[in-house]
């Protein structure tokens, strides 16, 4: 019925059936039949035919004046929806862990902003597990298994965590050889890694971390900085301390013990069609993940 209503408005605007038919690219008899079907559904005559043109009846004028603004609003809404779904522009709201967003994923945000000038990026950084739907986020980056069936998910890779300390700290306090010996050291732990267990690389034997960490903080970069300063042994993802290990400001501790790799996922709310702006970010994430060795550990 909306199509027939649009044709009726076009006839009134054009002033004749033939002009409206030409504008819509259809034969005049087809337009006449559509108009007659609309009048039959409404139970009133909308147009009176004169010698030269078709003039709306009283009911036709009333219907025209009420419906034309509605059709205009509908077109605007359709155009807006088209822009949202099919054009890479507008706001992309992303939830991500603080340190991962500041470190490992930094190239992702750079690529998105550089490749798509019409996209605006809002990052909601938190090491907790916030509700994606409640936050109105378009996409979230999460570490660990993701059981939420309300969210679509795509695996990006996995991350590993290591123990590391500054040479000055190890020279003063000795090198621990087993998880049990960590109790005599200053542990610098970051949430949520304090709840993870160490596993032996050969036997997969699990051992919990000792209680009473010297530092517990929700910013992994801060933990790494304090470890570099000689304040203790830090447990952190390899992605957060690779530069320090490469230059020697941190040394790997207890290499026979590790935190098993944890999967990294991109998650987004279920919907019939993923907006182009969100699809663009997801494509960049997948591209980055495929080439980043630290996600393929």
């Amino acid at each position: 019925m909306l199509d027939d209503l649009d044709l009726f408005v076009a006839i009134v605007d054009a002033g004749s059936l033939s002009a409206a038919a030409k504008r819509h690219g259809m034969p005049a008899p087809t337009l006449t039949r559509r108009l007659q079907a609309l009048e039959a559904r409404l139970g009133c005559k909308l147009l009176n035919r004169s010698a030269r043109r078709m003039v709306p009846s009283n009911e036709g004028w009333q219907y025209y004046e009420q419906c034309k603004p509605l059709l205009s609003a509908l077109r605007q809404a359709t155009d807006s929806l088209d822009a949202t779904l099919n054009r890479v522009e507008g706001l992309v709201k992303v939830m991500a862990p603080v340190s991962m967003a500041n470190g490992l994923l930094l190239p992702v945000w750079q690529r998105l902003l550089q490749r798509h000038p019409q996209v605006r990026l809002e990052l909601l950084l938190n090491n907790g597990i916030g509700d994606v739907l409640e936050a109105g986020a378009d996409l979230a980056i999460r570490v660990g298994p993701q059981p939420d069936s309300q969210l679509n998910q795509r695996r990006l890779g996995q991350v590993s965590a290591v123990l590391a300390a500054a040479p000055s700290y190890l020279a003063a306090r000795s090198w621990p050889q087993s998880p049990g010996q960590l109790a005599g050291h200053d542990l610098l732990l970051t949430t949520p890694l304090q709840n993870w267990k160490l596993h032996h690389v050969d036997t997969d034997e699990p051992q919990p971390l000792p209680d009473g960490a010297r530092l517990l903080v929700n910013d992994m970069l801060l933990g790494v900085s304090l470890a570099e300063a000689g304040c203790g042994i830090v447990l952190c993802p390899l992605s957060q301390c690779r530069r320090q290990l490469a230059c020697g400001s941190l040394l790997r501790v207890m290499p026979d013990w590790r935190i098993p790799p944890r999967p990294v996922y991109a998650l987004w709310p279920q919907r019939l069609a993923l907006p182009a702006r969100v699809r663009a970010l997801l494509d960049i994430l997948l591209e980055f993940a495929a080439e980043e060795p630290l996600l393929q550990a």
Side-chain angles (χ1 to χ4, degrees):
M1 184 172 177
L2 281 174
D3 288 342
D4 292 338
L5 175 57
D6 189 38
L7 290 176
F8 164 67
V9 170
I11 294 169
V12 176
D13 288 341
S16 70
L17 273 169
S18 59
K22 185 176 181 180
R23 182 177 298 175
H24 279 266
M26 68 172 58
T30 301
L31 187 56
T32 300
R33 288 194 298 272
R34 298 273 293 273
L35 173 63
Q36 291 171 345
L38 178 62
E39 290 177 328
R41 284 196 295 271
L42 295 174
C44 65
K45 195 171 185 61
L46 296 175
L47 293 171
N48 295 316
R49 186 189 296 272
S50 69
R52 296 184 178 179
R53 56 187 287 130
M54 300 196 74
V55 180
S57 64
N58 290 335
E59 293 82 3
W61 276 119
Q62 181 180 359
Y63 197 54
Y64 171 84
E65 290 173 352
Q66 290 177 348
C67 293
K68 185 171 182 178
L70 296 178
L71 284 172
S72 178
L74 181 59
R75 288 192 189 96
Q76 290 178 2
T78 301
D79 291 343
S80 176
L81 182 61
D82 177 69
T84 297
L85 291 177
N86 301 315
R87 301 178 196 168
V88 185
E89 61 182 39
L91 177 66
V92 181
K93 186 182 289 190
V94 183
M95 303 175 73
V98 178
S99 299
M100 182 176 285
N102 278 317
L104 180 64
L105 296 178
L106 184 59
V108 171
W109 320 132
Q110 293 172 337
R111 291 182 194 182
L112 179 68
L113 295 175
Q114 290 168 355
R115 292 181 187 177
H116 304 291
Q118 302 304 315
V119 166
R120 293 178 293 116
L121 179 62
E122 181 178 343
L123 292 174
L124 308 175
L125 305 184
N126 194 309
N127 288 332
I129 302 178
D131 190 305
V132 176
L133 299 176
E134 185 177 330
D138 295 301
L139 190 140
I141 307 297
R142 294 272 177 81
V143 179
Q146 303 298 319
D148 193 339
S149 60
Q150 291 185 301
L151 299 174
N152 291 318
Q153 57 182 256
R154 184 70 180 267
R155 195 175 188 273
L156 301 176
Q158 59 188 19
V159 289
S160 299
V162 299
L163 291 160
S168 60
Y169 175 87
L170 294 171
R173 299 287 297 273
S174 77
W175 292 66
Q177 302 299 320
S178 67
Q181 294 180 12
L182 288 175
H185 284 269
D186 295 332
L187 278 182
L188 312 176
L189 299 182
T190 56
T191 57
L193 274 66
Q194 82 277 10
N195 297 319
W196 296 6
K197 291 184 178 181
L198 295 168
H199 287 245
H200 195 276
V201 294
D202 293 328
T203 65
D204 203 33
E205 173 194 355
Q207 288 288 339
L209 292 165
D211 295 329
R214 187 77 188 278
L215 171 76
L216 183 61
V217 65
N218 66 349
D219 183 355
M220 294 178 187
L221 297 178
L222 178 57
V224 171
S225 295
L226 289 171
E228 275 191 286
C231 294
I233 299 175
V234 67
L235 173 64
C236 72
L238 182 58
S239 60
Q240 302 299 324
C241 62
R242 57 176 171 173
R243 178 181 59 81
Q244 292 82 354
L245 290 173
C247 72
S249 62
L250 288 178
L251 301 176
R252 183 85 177 265
V253 175
M254 290 168 46
D256 289 339
W257 292 85
R258 65 184 178 98
I259 299 288
R262 308 266 294 177
V264 180
Y265 290 95
L267 302 102
W268 62 95
Q270 293 182 359
R271 57 184 77 184
L272 292 177
L274 194 63
R277 66 188 192 280
V278 184
R279 180 77 245 180
L281 173 58
L282 183 58
D283 287 343
I284 290 173
L285 276 166
L286 294 172
E287 171 192 279
F288 173 76
E291 67 189 28
E292 175 51 60
L294 288 171
L295 283 171
Q296 309 304 323

